């Protein structure tokens, strides 16, 4: 005999597939994600300008380099504000998933970064512990823990 | 924490998506609350109570609290008839 829960779940799936209307929350989240993406791309662009500009674009003229630094900081602030808005407008569950992911990411970053730095200074590890490695590790940890959190509450 | 969200939704013939829209949350959140995997915040519980026209405790209740209340009632009965 089919349980009431099972019937309701099937009905929900069918109805949500048939209507497929985007709710206010979904469209707002989509807009916020797009905004974060645009600011992040812009920030990466200014980082590239800061790294390659002095060598390839303005022959290491200090004023232009300082302007590029200023632009990078301003766009970075914009990206932070976009992220802040994104988090503020998430619902309770999504915010918890992201908070857990952030906690795990910060923990992993600290736990890995300090020993790696010490091992690098004593030449124990065969590569130079660069900040880029830490950024990559944080990105991967955040993605994995977010995926885990989303599946956990499904 | 247990809740009657699924029953109340079924009584009104709403889908999870419709309830999520009314509460301004994602469908996953409604699903997680209904399954008891996630406890809503106080503002969200108030929104649900307002939407269904009920008190918060008529939708959400803590089984541990029920147990405490029942043991307290037993003690009062014992004291009364002692």
């Amino acid at each position: 005999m089919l349980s009431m829960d099972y019937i309701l779940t099937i009905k929900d799936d069918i109805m949500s597939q048939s209507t497929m209307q985007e709710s206010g929350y979904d469209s707002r989240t989509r807009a916020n994600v797009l905004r974060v993406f645009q600011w992040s791309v812009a920030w990466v662009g200014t980082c590239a300008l800061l790294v390659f500009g002095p060598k390839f674009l303005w022959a290491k003229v200090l004023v232009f380099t300082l302007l590029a630094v200023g632009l990078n900081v301003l766009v970075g602030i914009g990206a932070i504000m976009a992220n802040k808005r994104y988090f503020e407008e998430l619902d309770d569950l999504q915010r918890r998933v992201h908070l857990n992911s952030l906690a795990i990411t910060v923990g992993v970053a600290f736990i890995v970064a300090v020993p790696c730095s010490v091992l690098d200074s004593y030449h124990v590890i065969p590569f130079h512990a660069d900040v880029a490695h830490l950024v990559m590790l944080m990105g991967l940890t955040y993605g994995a823990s977010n995926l885990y959190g989303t599946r956990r509450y499904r | 924490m247990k809740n009657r969200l699924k029953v109340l939704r079924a009584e009104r013939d709403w889908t999870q998506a419709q309830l999520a829209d009314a509460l301004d949350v994602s469908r996953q959140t409604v699903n997680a609350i209904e399954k008891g995997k996630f406890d809503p915040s106080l503002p969200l519980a108030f929104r649900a109570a307002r939407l269904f026209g009920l008190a918060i405790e008529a939708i959400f209740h803590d089984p541990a609290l029920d147990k405490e209340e029942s043991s307290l009632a037993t003690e009062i009965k014992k004291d009364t008839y002692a």
Side-chain angles (χ1 to χ4, degrees):
Chain A
M1 194 173 172
L2 292 173
S3 71
M4 188 64 182
D5 280 5
Y6 181 75
I7 295 166
L8 279 172
T9 309
I10 296 286
K11 181 175 152 285
D12 287 339
D13 286 346
I14 293 166
M15 288 193 75
S16 58
Q17 278 170 14
S18 63
T19 52
M20 290 298 276
Q21 282 180 336
E22 200 174 55
S23 69
Y25 173 80
D26 287 338
S27 59
R28 197 170 61 243
T29 304
R30 193 181 295 274
N32 282 336
V33 168
L34 184 67
R35 190 178 298 113
V36 168
F37 175 74
Q38 287 167 340
W39 275 104
S40 301
V41 168
W43 182 75
V44 170
T46 58
C47 283
L49 187 72
L50 192 59
V51 172
F52 300 112
K55 195 174 177 186
F56 299 108
L57 294 177
W58 55 80
K60 295 181 183 174
V61 177
L62 185 64
V63 179
F64 289 121
T65 306
L66 289 175
L67 281 173
V69 170
L71 185 67
N72 180 255
V73 170
L74 284 176
V75 176
I77 291 168
I80 290 168
M81 297 308 287
N83 259 302
K84 186 174 173 286
R85 184 173 170 184
Y86 168 64
F87 278 101
E88 280 172 353
E89 292 189 0
L90 283 174
D91 71 12
D92 294 5
L93 177 64
Q94 305 300 326
R95 205 176 296 145
R96 174 182 281 194
V97 168
H98 281 278
L99 187 67
N100 286 345
S101 304
L102 284 170
I104 292 167
T105 305
V106 171
V108 167
F110 271 109
I111 288 166
V112 172
V114 175
C116 259
S117 169
V118 173
L119 291 174
D120 185 32
S121 61
Y122 288 108
H123 307 289
V124 178
I125 50 175
F127 58 90
H128 176 61
D130 197 70
V131 72
H133 297 140
L134 187 64
V135 172
M136 276 195 289
L137 175 75
M138 287 175 81
L140 289 172
T141 310
Y142 189 78
S145 46
N146 214 325
L147 193 68
Y148 168 74
T150 307
R151 283 181 171 274
R152 186 181 161 195
Y153 291 109
R154 188 175 283 177
Chain B
M1 188 170 305
K2 288 189 173 180
N3 67 79
R4 294 177 55 228
L5 217 57
K6 195 166 194 167
V7 175
L8 293 167
R9 179 172 64 78
E11 283 172 1
R12 285 152 184 82
D13 204 27
W14 290 346
T15 63
Q16 283 186 342
Q18 285 168 330
L19 178 58
D21 202 16
L23 292 174
D24 198 31
V25 296
S26 65
R27 196 181 72 83
Q28 286 83 353
T29 300
V30 169
N31 187 47
I33 294 170
E34 282 186 357
K35 285 182 175 176
K37 288 182 176 179
F38 174 70
D39 293 333
S41 66
L42 200 54
L44 180 55
F46 268 113
R47 283 211 298 277
R50 241 191 336 263
L51 181 70
F52 290 115
L54 295 166
I56 288 181
E57 56 268 33
I59 305 173
F60 304 97
H61 66 274
D62 185 1
L65 204 64
D66 292 347
K67 214 173 177 179
E68 274 176 29
E69 278 174 2
S70 122
S71 62
L72 189 67
T74 314
E75 273 178 31
I76 291 168
K77 266 185 198 171
K78 274 182 191 172
D79 289 347
T80 311
Y81 296 110

